[in-house]
Amino acid sequence: MARTHDGERIEWIFDESTVRLLDERTVLVEDNAWGKAGTVATSVALIDSGIVDEAGQTNY
């Protein structure tokens, strides 16, 4: 799944079998100050997630 805006494409990568979000990355679709089109500008891997009762609480 992806969204393109202002010369960048934000991509969300999901596990096909569980539909769990695994990664989010930003790819340049036009040349700009950050680099050439096709460059991955950011990438974030999701290593854990959970539901908590209040902000700041961890699910360990």
Side-chain angles (χ1 to χ4, degrees):
M1 173 178 266
R3 175 181 184 263
T4 302
H5 180 71
D6 284 341
E8 300 177 346
R9 182 178 62 244
I10 300 171
E11 302 174 345
W12 297 279
I13 293 89
F14 295 90
D15 182 297
E16 288 183 18
S17 61
T18 65
V19 196
R20 180 175 174 244
L21 179 63
L22 301 174
D23 183 64
E24 176 184 308
R25 68 181 176 190
T26 303
V27 179
L28 303 179
V29 293
E30 338 178 310
D31 294 353
N32 66 27
W34 294 99
K36 296 190 177 289
T39 300
V40 176
T42 65
S43 183
V44 177
L46 204 64
I47 56 171
D48 196 12
S49 65
I51 299 172
V52 296
D53 293 324
E54 51 190 70
Q57 186 178 7
T58 62
N59 62 334
Y60 299 109

